Amino acid sequence: MEELKCECGHINPPGTLLCESCGKQLADYENPVTDSGPLLDMRYDGSARRSQTYRKTWIDKVWNFFSSVKVGVWLIILTLAASAVGTIFTQVEYIPSNVLPEDYYKDEFGVPGEIYYMLGFHNLYGSWWYITLIACLGISLVVASLDRVIPLYRTLNVQGITKNTAFLRRQRLYGERVLDKDNDLQIVKEKLEKKRYRVLTENGNLMAEKGRFSRWGPYVNHVGLIIVLIGAMLRFVPGMYVDENMWLREGQVAAIPGTDGKYFLKNEKFTIETYESGKEKAVFQEAINEAGEGNVAKNFQTDAVLYERVGNALPGEKPELKEVKRDAIKVNHPLQFESFGLYQNSYSTGALKELKFNLLNKDSKETFGPITVDLDEPKSEYDLGKGHKVEVLTYLPDFYMNEEGRPDTKSRAPINPAFVFNMISPEKPDGEVSFVGIQMNLEPNGENKMAMKFAGVKTISQSLLTVKKDLTIWVIALGGLIFMIGVCQGMYWNHRRIWFKRENGMILVAGHTNKNWYTLKKEIEDAVEGTSFPAPWDQKNSEIRSGGVGIGGN
């Protein structure tokens, strides 16, 4: 397509509807709102938009698709709908760690939960289709903004003072009269300047403008939304966002998730206080009785010690740790370090710490032991004397049968421990294999002479701590601030333009605004009061002219 040269001499880009300088109509077009009514469509000042000009190649089709406002609105609706559905049931990171997601949603919520899991709503914010939806929305915002803001910026910056007569007569506010006094233009100019218009004159013609920056309000909104989306996407960049849970048993030292093994935490002591009926105010008595004595937590806290790793440790090597700080982690009182926060989430007072077993001779009923297996650090073998020994071949802290039908562990937490023992005795120096778990004792190689007999358990308290780190929050907050600036910019200011033109002994006046037409009309009437210049009429609502139907643009 070739560039369009107007009779005023201005060269316009291909696809321009109204000359950027004088406003003369350069091409026939169908007004999408008024069906080619007599008023001009000033939505984008007739500027050339790429999506309306190029439609042949696949790049044009992709550009036109994402520049569509309808597509953008549908993407927003789909994103909001998916986000709302994702709140119906629990997200996968908040379900218990000892259950499989496919079992949890089916067991807890029935068929709706099963469908919820199958469609991927259980891991909504990490699902590929939700990320794709967010990315498409971001592309739509960028393309739609570029498609409109660049040509509009160009048009508003090259607009001329002397407008084409047809352009003025097809504005919604228009008036004309025989010119009586030539010096009235100076009076009108001074009055408009008092109303904070930027007034330009040229050969006895006048153009006054104010509030142009309000035109950029919608695009500032787009910039804010794009920054918010970037902030949301940054949460998937490693190191930018951490929201993990960690169980920490009394006395245990464990690496803090999300720190790449740099920081460790020790649960030195766990304390829980409950409301006691005899020591609390009478007003709490009924609630305590309903919940049961000792069942309402008053305070639970973890006395924690934060360590930092010194140097690098080889795989399997115990790291050297340096104490950094000590603090009591309570509800609403996290332990803070660097960009991390450790929050007290929940607790458990019946966590398994040790299991005791006796080695039993099935025939003689003689027992050897017991052995005490520390579930955090089990030994590889236990010598019971007199030629009896127990070897730990396999330790599964959180036992379950995987999809292949083999024993496996869901996590490293000793929630459902199971062992493969090799039992050595003088009668069986090579040993006998036994698979032992809670209420389970299997002999895979046939009936054994020896057996592992459960002899006791030791439990301790453990804390559920939530590890949080969010370096994206300031990006999202900045996007939200820019979005609100755009909202105020577009809502509380109007872009108003007024033109006066002398032609063949007549004075023509026209006005355009993106909203609040009554105020613009009143301002022009005030400016021409006491002069020979005409006050404009509203061609859309006036009964003076027929067919006065049109739009004002934005």
Side-chain angles (χ1 to χ4, degrees), residues 165-209:
T165 301
F167 175 85
L168 298 179
R169 286 176 171 164
R170 295 179 65 187
Q171 295 299 318
R172 177 171 166 173
L173 296 183
Y174 177 73
E176 60 182 40
R177 182 180 291 174
V178 175
L179 180 63
D180 289 337
K181 300 177 182 178
D182 213 20
N183 59 349
D184 282 348
L185 188 68
Q186 183 62 29
I187 299 173
V188 171
K189 177 183 176 184
E190 293 174 356
K191 288 185 176 181
L192 289 174
E193 286 176 338
K194 289 182 180 178
K195 293 181 179 295
R196 300 180 181 178
Y197 278 89
R198 186 172 69 96
V199 183
L200 302 173
T201 58
E202 178 185 72
N203 300 326
N205 304 317
L206 179 149
M207 187 191 80
E209 182 183 28

mmCIF file of all heavy atoms in Angstrom, residues 165-209:
data_model
loop_
_atom_site.group_PDB
_atom_site.id
_atom_site.type_symbol
_atom_site.label_atom_id
_atom_site.label_comp_id
_atom_site.label_asym_id
_atom_site.label_seq_id
_atom_site.Cartn_x
_atom_site.Cartn_y
_atom_site.Cartn_z
ATOM 1 N N THR A 165 -12.646 22.157 6.281
ATOM 2 C CA THR A 165 -14.012 22.609 6.593
ATOM 3 C C THR A 165 -14.964 21.425 6.810
ATOM 4 O O THR A 165 -15.800 21.426 7.722
ATOM 5 C CB THR A 165 -14.537 23.500 5.458
ATOM 6 O OG1 THR A 165 -13.660 24.627 5.306
ATOM 7 C CG2 THR A 165 -15.944 24.008 5.775
ATOM 8 N N ALA A 166 -14.839 20.410 5.979
ATOM 9 C CA ALA A 166 -15.714 19.231 6.126
ATOM 10 C C ALA A 166 -15.469 18.548 7.464
ATOM 11 O O ALA A 166 -16.394 18.018 8.088
ATOM 12 C CB ALA A 166 -15.465 18.260 4.973
ATOM 13 N N PHE A 167 -14.220 18.568 7.909
ATOM 14 C CA PHE A 167 -13.888 17.968 9.215
ATOM 15 C C PHE A 167 -14.625 18.688 10.329
ATOM 16 O O PHE A 167 -15.202 18.064 11.230
ATOM 17 C CB PHE A 167 -12.367 18.049 9.418
ATOM 18 C CG PHE A 167 -11.895 17.581 10.771
ATOM 19 C CD1 PHE A 167 -11.661 16.240 11.028
ATOM 20 C CD2 PHE A 167 -11.688 18.506 11.793
ATOM 21 C CE1 PHE A 167 -11.225 15.821 12.278
ATOM 22 C CE2 PHE A 167 -11.253 18.095 13.041
ATOM 23 C CZ PHE A 167 -11.020 16.753 13.283
ATOM 24 N N LEU A 168 -14.625 20.036 10.262
ATOM 25 C CA LEU A 168 -15.294 20.808 11.319
ATOM 26 C C LEU A 168 -16.806 20.595 11.268
ATOM 27 O O LEU A 168 -17.445 20.428 12.319
ATOM 28 C CB LEU A 168 -14.974 22.285 11.161
ATOM 29 C CG LEU A 168 -13.489 22.680 11.297
ATOM 30 C CD1 LEU A 168 -13.313 24.171 11.105
ATOM 31 C CD2 LEU A 168 -12.934 22.246 12.645
ATOM 32 N N ARG A 169 -17.389 20.617 10.087
ATOM 33 C CA ARG A 169 -18.844 20.484 9.971
ATOM 34 C C ARG A 169 -19.344 19.105 10.391
ATOM 35 O O ARG A 169 -20.530 18.933 10.653
ATOM 36 C CB ARG A 169 -19.284 20.776 8.532
ATOM 37 C CG ARG A 169 -19.226 22.272 8.211
ATOM 38 C CD ARG A 169 -19.562 22.574 6.776
ATOM 39 N NE ARG A 169 -19.695 24.040 6.575
ATOM 40 C CZ ARG A 169 -19.681 24.626 5.400
ATOM 41 N NH1 ARG A 169 -19.560 23.885 4.291
ATOM 42 N NH2 ARG A 169 -19.810 25.939 5.319
ATOM 43 N N ARG A 170 -18.474 18.112 10.454
ATOM 44 C CA ARG A 170 -18.907 16.760 10.842
ATOM 45 C C ARG A 170 -18.483 16.408 12.261
ATOM 46 O O ARG A 170 -18.450 15.257 12.641
ATOM 47 C CB ARG A 170 -18.345 15.741 9.852
ATOM 48 C CG ARG A 170 -18.925 15.928 8.441
ATOM 49 C CD ARG A 170 -18.359 14.932 7.469
ATOM 50 N NE ARG A 170 -18.750 13.575 7.819
ATOM 51 C CZ ARG A 170 -18.290 12.490 7.222
ATOM 52 N NH1 ARG A 170 -17.409 12.627 6.237
ATOM 53 N NH2 ARG A 170 -18.684 11.299 7.581
ATOM 54 N N GLN A 171 -18.160 17.454 13.046
ATOM 55 C CA GLN A 171 -17.957 17.236 14.472
ATOM 56 C C GLN A 171 -19.302 17.344 15.185
ATOM 57 O O GLN A 171 -20.217 18.023 14.737
ATOM 58 C CB GLN A 171 -16.968 18.266 15.039
ATOM 59 C CG GLN A 171 -15.558 18.149 14.498
ATOM 60 C CD GLN A 171 -14.917 16.793 14.807
ATOM 61 O OE1 GLN A 171 -15.057 16.285 15.915
ATOM 62 N NE2 GLN A 171 -14.239 16.218 13.816
ATOM 63 N N ARG A 172 -19.382 16.680 16.317
ATOM 64 C CA ARG A 172 -20.663 16.662 17.039
ATOM 65 C C ARG A 172 -21.064 18.070 17.499
ATOM 66 O O ARG A 172 -22.229 18.449 17.396
ATOM 67 C CB ARG A 172 -20.554 15.729 18.253
ATOM 68 C CG ARG A 172 -21.807 15.700 19.100
ATOM 69 C CD ARG A 172 -21.736 14.608 20.157
ATOM 70 N NE ARG A 172 -22.775 14.782 21.162
ATOM 71 C CZ ARG A 172 -23.028 13.905 22.131
ATOM 72 N NH1 ARG A 172 -22.302 12.808 22.223
ATOM 73 N NH2 ARG A 172 -23.989 14.144 23.014
ATOM 74 N N LEU A 173 -20.139 18.881 18.021
ATOM 75 C CA LEU A 173 -20.426 20.263 18.398
ATOM 76 C C LEU A 173 -19.978 21.153 17.250
ATOM 77 O O LEU A 173 -18.785 21.180 16.895
ATOM 78 C CB LEU A 173 -19.684 20.642 19.690
ATOM 79 C CG LEU A 173 -20.070 19.896 20.961
ATOM 80 C CD1 LEU A 173 -19.292 20.431 22.162
ATOM 81 C CD2 LEU A 173 -21.573 19.995 21.226
ATOM 82 N N TYR A 174 -20.914 21.868 16.668
ATOM 83 C CA TYR A 174 -20.574 22.682 15.495
ATOM 84 C C TYR A 174 -21.476 23.907 15.451
ATOM 85 O O TYR A 174 -22.646 23.874 15.842
ATOM 86 C CB TYR A 174 -20.755 21.880 14.206
ATOM 87 C CG TYR A 174 -20.491 22.698 12.973
ATOM 88 C CD1 TYR A 174 -19.188 23.064 12.621
ATOM 89 C CD2 TYR A 174 -21.545 23.150 12.176
ATOM 90 C CE1 TYR A 174 -18.943 23.836 11.512
ATOM 91 C CE2 TYR A 174 -21.310 23.931 11.048
ATOM 92 C CZ TYR A 174 -20.003 24.267 10.719
ATOM 93 O OH TYR A 174 -19.761 25.061 9.608
ATOM 94 N N GLY A 175 -20.908 25.048 14.971
ATOM 95 C CA GLY A 175 -21.687 26.266 14.746
ATOM 96 C C GLY A 175 -20.996 27.133 13.706
ATOM 97 O O GLY A 175 -19.784 27.013 13.488
ATOM 98 N N GLU A 176 -21.734 27.986 13.044
ATOM 99 C CA GLU A 176 -21.152 28.871 12.046
ATOM 100 C C GLU A 176 -21.960 30.173 12.009
ATOM 101 O O GLU A 176 -23.150 30.200 12.329
ATOM 102 C CB GLU A 176 -21.138 28.211 10.660
ATOM 103 C CG GLU A 176 -22.522 27.841 10.140
ATOM 104 C CD GLU A 176 -22.454 27.151 8.787
ATOM 105 O OE1 GLU A 176 -21.542 26.333 8.617
ATOM 106 O OE2 GLU A 176 -23.311 27.444 7.931
ATOM 107 N N ARG A 177 -21.302 31.254 11.642
ATOM 108 C CA ARG A 177 -21.963 32.555 11.591
ATOM 109 C C ARG A 177 -21.110 33.477 10.718
ATOM 110 O O ARG A 177 -19.902 33.263 10.568
ATOM 111 C CB ARG A 177 -22.099 33.139 12.996
ATOM 112 C CG ARG A 177 -22.836 34.491 13.053
ATOM 113 C CD ARG A 177 -22.920 34.991 14.471
ATOM 114 N NE ARG A 177 -23.831 34.150 15.272
ATOM 115 C CZ ARG A 177 -23.997 34.311 16.583
ATOM 116 N NH1 ARG A 177 -23.291 35.237 17.219
ATOM 117 N NH2 ARG A 177 -24.829 33.536 17.248
ATOM 118 N N VAL A 178 -21.774 34.534 10.213
ATOM 119 C CA VAL A 178 -21.045 35.544 9.446
ATOM 120 C C VAL A 178 -20.106 36.285 10.391
ATOM 121 O O VAL A 178 -20.497 36.657 11.496
ATOM 122 C CB VAL A 178 -22.028 36.531 8.784
ATOM 123 C CG1 VAL A 178 -21.271 37.665 8.074
ATOM 124 C CG2 VAL A 178 -22.935 35.800 7.793
ATOM 125 N N LEU A 179 -18.858 36.469 9.942
ATOM 126 C CA LEU A 179 -17.857 37.110 10.800
ATOM 127 C C LEU A 179 -18.059 38.617 10.791
ATOM 128 O O LEU A 179 -18.008 39.259 9.738
ATOM 129 C CB LEU A 179 -16.454 36.751 10.285
ATOM 130 C CG LEU A 179 -15.281 37.330 11.070
ATOM 131 C CD1 LEU A 179 -15.283 36.784 12.495
ATOM 132 C CD2 LEU A 179 -13.963 36.979 10.381
ATOM 133 N N ASP A 180 -18.299 39.184 12.017
ATOM 134 C CA ASP A 180 -18.517 40.634 12.117
ATOM 135 C C ASP A 180 -17.259 41.359 12.566
ATOM 136 O O ASP A 180 -16.831 42.315 11.960
ATOM 137 C CB ASP A 180 -19.643 40.915 13.139
ATOM 138 C CG ASP A 180 -21.003 40.486 12.586
ATOM 139 O OD1 ASP A 180 -21.123 40.402 11.353
ATOM 140 O OD2 ASP A 180 -21.917 40.231 13.394
ATOM 141 N N LYS A 181 -16.677 40.892 13.648
ATOM 142 C CA LYS A 181 -15.522 41.582 14.228
ATOM 143 C C LYS A 181 -14.297 40.672 14.171
ATOM 144 O O LYS A 181 -14.335 39.540 14.656
ATOM 145 C CB LYS A 181 -15.811 41.953 15.682
ATOM 146 C CG LYS A 181 -17.015 42.859 15.841
ATOM 147 C CD LYS A 181 -17.286 43.124 17.313
ATOM 148 C CE LYS A 181 -18.531 43.985 17.493
ATOM 149 N NZ LYS A 181 -18.840 44.203 18.929
ATOM 150 N N ASP A 182 -13.228 41.192 13.625
ATOM 151 C CA ASP A 182 -12.036 40.372 13.465
ATOM 152 C C ASP A 182 -11.264 40.206 14.775
ATOM 153 O O ASP A 182 -10.525 39.241 14.937
ATOM 154 C CB ASP A 182 -11.123 41.026 12.414
ATOM 155 C CG ASP A 182 -10.377 39.977 11.625
ATOM 156 O OD1 ASP A 182 -10.829 38.810 11.624
ATOM 157 O OD2 ASP A 182 -9.334 40.303 11.054
ATOM 158 N N ASN A 183 -11.412 41.185 15.684
ATOM 159 C CA ASN A 183 -10.620 41.116 16.910
ATOM 160 C C ASN A 183 -11.266 40.233 17.984
ATOM 161 O O ASN A 183 -10.753 40.114 19.083
ATOM 162 C CB ASN A 183 -10.393 42.518 17.485
ATOM 163 C CG ASN A 183 -11.718 43.208 17.806
ATOM 164 O OD1 ASN A 183 -12.778 42.719 17.416
ATOM 165 N ND2 ASN A 183 -11.633 44.348 18.499
ATOM 166 N N ASP A 184 -12.418 39.640 17.688
ATOM 167 C CA ASP A 184 -13.061 38.752 18.671
ATOM 168 C C ASP A 184 -12.229 37.493 18.929
ATOM 169 O O ASP A 184 -12.349 36.866 19.977
ATOM 170 C CB ASP A 184 -14.457 38.344 18.198
ATOM 171 C CG ASP A 184 -15.469 39.475 18.423
ATOM 172 O OD1 ASP A 184 -15.112 40.431 19.141
ATOM 173 O OD2 ASP A 184 -16.579 39.403 17.875
ATOM 174 N N LEU A 185 -11.400 37.135 17.950
ATOM 175 C CA LEU A 185 -10.588 35.931 18.114
ATOM 176 C C LEU A 185 -9.644 36.069 19.308
ATOM 177 O O LEU A 185 -9.430 35.102 20.047
ATOM 178 C CB LEU A 185 -9.791 35.645 16.842
ATOM 179 C CG LEU A 185 -9.056 34.310 16.805
ATOM 180 C CD1 LEU A 185 -10.054 33.160 16.739
ATOM 181 C CD2 LEU A 185 -8.106 34.244 15.626
ATOM 182 N N GLN A 186 -9.104 37.272 19.509
ATOM 183 C CA GLN A 186 -8.192 37.499 20.632
ATOM 184 C C GLN A 186 -8.936 37.375 21.959
ATOM 185 O O GLN A 186 -8.414 36.809 22.939
ATOM 186 C CB GLN A 186 -7.562 38.890 20.504
ATOM 187 C CG GLN A 186 -6.544 39.210 21.582
ATOM 188 C CD GLN A 186 -5.345 38.272 21.566
ATOM 189 O OE1 GLN A 186 -4.965 37.748 20.516
ATOM 190 N NE2 GLN A 186 -4.765 38.039 22.741
ATOM 191 N N ILE A 187 -10.196 37.854 21.989
ATOM 192 C CA ILE A 187 -10.996 37.741 23.219
ATOM 193 C C ILE A 187 -11.268 36.270 23.554
ATOM 194 O O ILE A 187 -11.119 35.835 24.701
ATOM 195 C CB ILE A 187 -12.333 38.511 23.048
ATOM 196 C CG1 ILE A 187 -12.057 39.999 22.800
ATOM 197 C CG2 ILE A 187 -13.224 38.323 24.268
ATOM 198 C CD1 ILE A 187 -13.299 40.791 22.467
ATOM 199 N N VAL A 188 -11.650 35.531 22.524
ATOM 200 C CA VAL A 188 -11.915 34.093 22.737
ATOM 201 C C VAL A 188 -10.651 33.379 23.190
ATOM 202 O O VAL A 188 -10.686 32.532 24.094
ATOM 203 C CB VAL A 188 -12.472 33.464 21.433
ATOM 204 C CG1 VAL A 188 -12.549 31.951 21.557
ATOM 205 C CG2 VAL A 188 -13.839 34.034 21.103
ATOM 206 N N LYS A 189 -9.532 33.728 22.597
ATOM 207 C CA LYS A 189 -8.266 33.087 22.964
ATOM 208 C C LYS A 189 -7.950 33.316 24.435
ATOM 209 O O LYS A 189 -7.567 32.366 25.152
ATOM 210 C CB LYS A 189 -7.141 33.650 22.094
ATOM 211 C CG LYS A 189 -5.771 33.096 22.441
ATOM 212 C CD LYS A 189 -4.680 33.738 21.597
ATOM 213 C CE LYS A 189 -3.310 33.224 22.039
ATOM 214 N NZ LYS A 189 -2.220 33.894 21.307
ATOM 215 N N GLU A 190 -8.114 34.572 24.901
ATOM 216 C CA GLU A 190 -7.796 34.875 26.305
ATOM 217 C C GLU A 190 -8.721 34.126 27.258
ATOM 218 O O GLU A 190 -8.298 33.627 28.314
ATOM 219 C CB GLU A 190 -7.893 36.390 26.530
ATOM 220 C CG GLU A 190 -6.819 37.178 25.786
ATOM 221 C CD GLU A 190 -7.009 38.673 25.890
ATOM 222 O OE1 GLU A 190 -8.031 39.084 26.494
ATOM 223 O OE2 GLU A 190 -6.159 39.421 25.377
ATOM 224 N N LYS A 191 -9.991 34.031 26.888
ATOM 225 C CA LYS A 191 -10.936 33.307 27.756
ATOM 226 C C LYS A 191 -10.600 31.815 27.832
ATOM 227 O O LYS A 191 -10.677 31.194 28.897
ATOM 228 C CB LYS A 191 -12.370 33.484 27.243
ATOM 229 C CG LYS A 191 -12.937 34.874 27.470
ATOM 230 C CD LYS A 191 -14.396 34.923 27.044
ATOM 231 C CE LYS A 191 -15.017 36.282 27.361
ATOM 232 N NZ LYS A 191 -16.441 36.339 26.967
ATOM 233 N N LEU A 192 -10.222 31.252 26.697
ATOM 234 C CA LEU A 192 -9.877 29.814 26.698
ATOM 235 C C LEU A 192 -8.593 29.557 27.474
ATOM 236 O O LEU A 192 -8.463 28.532 28.160
ATOM 237 C CB LEU A 192 -9.738 29.307 25.259
ATOM 238 C CG LEU A 192 -11.040 29.204 24.469
ATOM 239 C CD1 LEU A 192 -10.754 28.825 23.024
ATOM 240 C CD2 LEU A 192 -11.996 28.186 25.090
ATOM 241 N N GLU A 193 -7.650 30.482 27.398
ATOM 242 C CA GLU A 193 -6.407 30.307 28.148
ATOM 243 C C GLU A 193 -6.668 30.358 29.650
ATOM 244 O O GLU A 193 -5.999 29.661 30.421
ATOM 245 C CB GLU A 193 -5.404 31.384 27.743
ATOM 246 C CG GLU A 193 -4.795 31.139 26.369
ATOM 247 C CD GLU A 193 -3.863 32.256 25.933
ATOM 248 O OE1 GLU A 193 -4.004 33.394 26.461
ATOM 249 O OE2 GLU A 193 -3.002 32.012 25.068
ATOM 250 N N LYS A 194 -7.672 31.191 30.060
ATOM 251 C CA LYS A 194 -8.037 31.223 31.478
ATOM 252 C C LYS A 194 -8.644 29.895 31.926
ATOM 253 O O LYS A 194 -8.600 29.549 33.102
ATOM 254 C CB LYS A 194 -9.023 32.363 31.741
ATOM 255 C CG LYS A 194 -8.394 33.754 31.637
ATOM 256 C CD LYS A 194 -9.410 34.834 31.943
ATOM 257 C CE LYS A 194 -8.758 36.219 31.845
ATOM 258 N NZ LYS A 194 -9.752 37.308 32.101
ATOM 259 N N LYS A 195 -9.219 29.170 30.981
ATOM 260 C CA LYS A 195 -9.769 27.843 31.301
ATOM 261 C C LYS A 195 -8.715 26.751 31.101
ATOM 262 O O LYS A 195 -9.024 25.571 30.985
ATOM 263 C CB LYS A 195 -10.980 27.540 30.407
ATOM 264 C CG LYS A 195 -12.176 28.450 30.684
ATOM 265 C CD LYS A 195 -13.346 28.106 29.791
ATOM 266 C CE LYS A 195 -14.544 29.010 30.087
ATOM 267 N NZ LYS A 195 -15.092 28.799 31.438
ATOM 268 N N ARG A 196 -7.466 27.158 31.047
ATOM 269 C CA ARG A 196 -6.312 26.260 30.987
ATOM 270 C C ARG A 196 -6.211 25.470 29.682
ATOM 271 O O ARG A 196 -5.701 24.353 29.652
ATOM 272 C CB ARG A 196 -6.313 25.295 32.178
ATOM 273 C CG ARG A 196 -6.262 26.004 33.519
ATOM 274 C CD ARG A 196 -6.272 25.018 34.650
ATOM 275 N NE ARG A 196 -6.239 25.721 35.936
ATOM 276 C CZ ARG A 196 -6.281 25.120 37.118
ATOM 277 N NH1 ARG A 196 -6.355 23.803 37.159
ATOM 278 N NH2 ARG A 196 -6.254 25.813 38.235
ATOM 279 N N TYR A 197 -6.697 26.054 28.630
ATOM 280 C CA TYR A 197 -6.489 25.455 27.306
ATOM 281 C C TYR A 197 -5.139 25.897 26.766
ATOM 282 O O TYR A 197 -4.681 27.018 27.043
ATOM 283 C CB TYR A 197 -7.581 25.910 26.331
ATOM 284 C CG TYR A 197 -8.873 25.127 26.439
ATOM 285 C CD1 TYR A 197 -9.864 25.529 27.324
ATOM 286 C CD2 TYR A 197 -9.082 24.012 25.650
ATOM 287 C CE1 TYR A 197 -11.052 24.814 27.429
ATOM 288 C CE2 TYR A 197 -10.261 23.295 25.744
ATOM 289 C CZ TYR A 197 -11.251 23.693 26.632
ATOM 290 O OH TYR A 197 -12.416 22.991 26.719
ATOM 291 N N ARG A 198 -4.521 25.009 26.016
ATOM 292 C CA ARG A 198 -3.322 25.395 25.255
ATOM 293 C C ARG A 198 -3.807 25.875 23.892
ATOM 294 O O ARG A 198 -4.368 25.086 23.113
ATOM 295 C CB ARG A 198 -2.397 24.185 25.084
ATOM 296 C CG ARG A 198 -1.065 24.517 24.427
ATOM 297 C CD ARG A 198 -0.140 23.302 24.481
ATOM 298 N NE ARG A 198 -0.627 22.239 23.610
ATOM 299 C CZ ARG A 198 -0.199 22.049 22.363
ATOM 300 N NH1 ARG A 198 0.734 22.838 21.862
ATOM 301 N NH2 ARG A 198 -0.679 21.069 21.636
ATOM 302 N N VAL A 199 -3.663 27.164 23.634
ATOM 303 C CA VAL A 199 -4.259 27.782 22.451
ATOM 304 C C VAL A 199 -3.172 28.072 21.418
ATOM 305 O O VAL A 199 -2.138 28.666 21.746
ATOM 306 C CB VAL A 199 -5.005 29.075 22.825
ATOM 307 C CG1 VAL A 199 -5.675 29.670 21.581
ATOM 308 C CG2 VAL A 199 -6.037 28.802 23.910
ATOM 309 N N LEU A 200 -3.431 27.638 20.177
ATOM 310 C CA LEU A 200 -2.531 27.899 19.058
ATOM 311 C C LEU A 200 -3.314 28.615 17.973
ATOM 312 O O LEU A 200 -4.496 28.309 17.740
ATOM 313 C CB LEU A 200 -1.960 26.586 18.507
ATOM 314 C CG LEU A 200 -1.175 25.705 19.505
ATOM 315 C CD1 LEU A 200 -0.816 24.375 18.856
ATOM 316 C CD2 LEU A 200 0.086 26.417 19.981
ATOM 317 N N THR A 201 -2.684 29.598 17.317
ATOM 318 C CA THR A 201 -3.353 30.329 16.241
ATOM 319 C C THR A 201 -2.498 30.270 14.978
ATOM 320 O O THR A 201 -1.266 30.142 15.039
ATOM 321 C CB THR A 201 -3.578 31.795 16.637
ATOM 322 O OG1 THR A 201 -2.317 32.404 16.957
ATOM 323 C CG2 THR A 201 -4.513 31.901 17.840
ATOM 324 N N GLU A 202 -3.203 30.388 13.852
ATOM 325 C CA GLU A 202 -2.507 30.339 12.556
ATOM 326 C C GLU A 202 -3.399 31.003 11.510
ATOM 327 O O GLU A 202 -4.519 30.544 11.259
ATOM 328 C CB GLU A 202 -2.243 28.879 12.163
ATOM 329 C CG GLU A 202 -1.562 28.714 10.812
ATOM 330 C CD GLU A 202 -1.448 27.239 10.446
ATOM 331 O OE1 GLU A 202 -2.509 26.634 10.126
ATOM 332 O OE2 GLU A 202 -0.333 26.696 10.517
ATOM 333 N N ASN A 203 -2.934 32.103 10.964
ATOM 334 C CA ASN A 203 -3.668 32.815 9.904
ATOM 335 C C ASN A 203 -5.115 33.122 10.313
ATOM 336 O O ASN A 203 -6.054 32.932 9.548
ATOM 337 C CB ASN A 203 -3.671 31.981 8.612
ATOM 338 C CG ASN A 203 -2.269 31.702 8.096
ATOM 339 O OD1 ASN A 203 -1.363 32.548 8.240
ATOM 340 N ND2 ASN A 203 -2.071 30.516 7.532
ATOM 341 N N GLY A 204 -5.308 33.540 11.532
ATOM 342 C CA GLY A 204 -6.642 33.903 11.994
ATOM 343 C C GLY A 204 -7.490 32.713 12.415
ATOM 344 O O GLY A 204 -8.672 32.891 12.760
ATOM 345 N N ASN A 205 -6.934 31.522 12.391
ATOM 346 C CA ASN A 205 -7.634 30.316 12.850
ATOM 347 C C ASN A 205 -7.103 29.937 14.230
ATOM 348 O O ASN A 205 -5.987 30.330 14.605
ATOM 349 C CB ASN A 205 -7.438 29.165 11.875
ATOM 350 C CG ASN A 205 -7.885 29.538 10.470
ATOM 351 O OD1 ASN A 205 -8.933 30.166 10.297
ATOM 352 N ND2 ASN A 205 -7.078 29.197 9.476
ATOM 353 N N LEU A 206 -7.870 29.176 14.944
ATOM 354 C CA LEU A 206 -7.500 28.866 16.338
ATOM 355 C C LEU A 206 -7.788 27.408 16.654
ATOM 356 O O LEU A 206 -8.796 26.844 16.197
ATOM 357 C CB LEU A 206 -8.292 29.789 17.279
ATOM 358 C CG LEU A 206 -8.103 29.661 18.782
ATOM 359 C CD1 LEU A 206 -8.305 31.011 19.467
ATOM 360 C CD2 LEU A 206 -9.073 28.644 19.383
ATOM 361 N N MET A 207 -6.873 26.820 17.402
ATOM 362 C CA MET A 207 -7.125 25.489 17.963
ATOM 363 C C MET A 207 -6.755 25.512 19.440
ATOM 364 O O MET A 207 -5.651 25.927 19.809
ATOM 365 C CB MET A 207 -6.292 24.411 17.269
ATOM 366 C CG MET A 207 -6.675 23.001 17.735
ATOM 367 S SD MET A 207 -5.565 21.694 17.205
ATOM 368 C CE MET A 207 -4.255 21.867 18.389
ATOM 369 N N ALA A 208 -7.692 25.106 20.290
ATOM 370 C CA ALA A 208 -7.458 25.056 21.745
ATOM 371 C C ALA A 208 -7.590 23.611 22.198
ATOM 372 O O ALA A 208 -8.481 22.884 21.744
ATOM 373 C CB ALA A 208 -8.464 25.941 22.469
ATOM 374 N N GLU A 209 -6.706 23.219 23.088
ATOM 375 C CA GLU A 209 -6.691 21.808 23.523
ATOM 376 C C GLU A 209 -6.279 21.713 24.981
ATOM 377 O O GLU A 209 -5.427 22.482 25.445
ATOM 378 C CB GLU A 209 -5.709 21.014 22.660
ATOM 379 C CG GLU A 209 -5.646 19.533 22.996
ATOM 380 C CD GLU A 209 -4.599 18.801 22.170
ATOM 381 O OE1 GLU A 209 -3.621 19.452 21.778
ATOM 382 O OE2 GLU A 209 -4.768 17.599 21.931
#
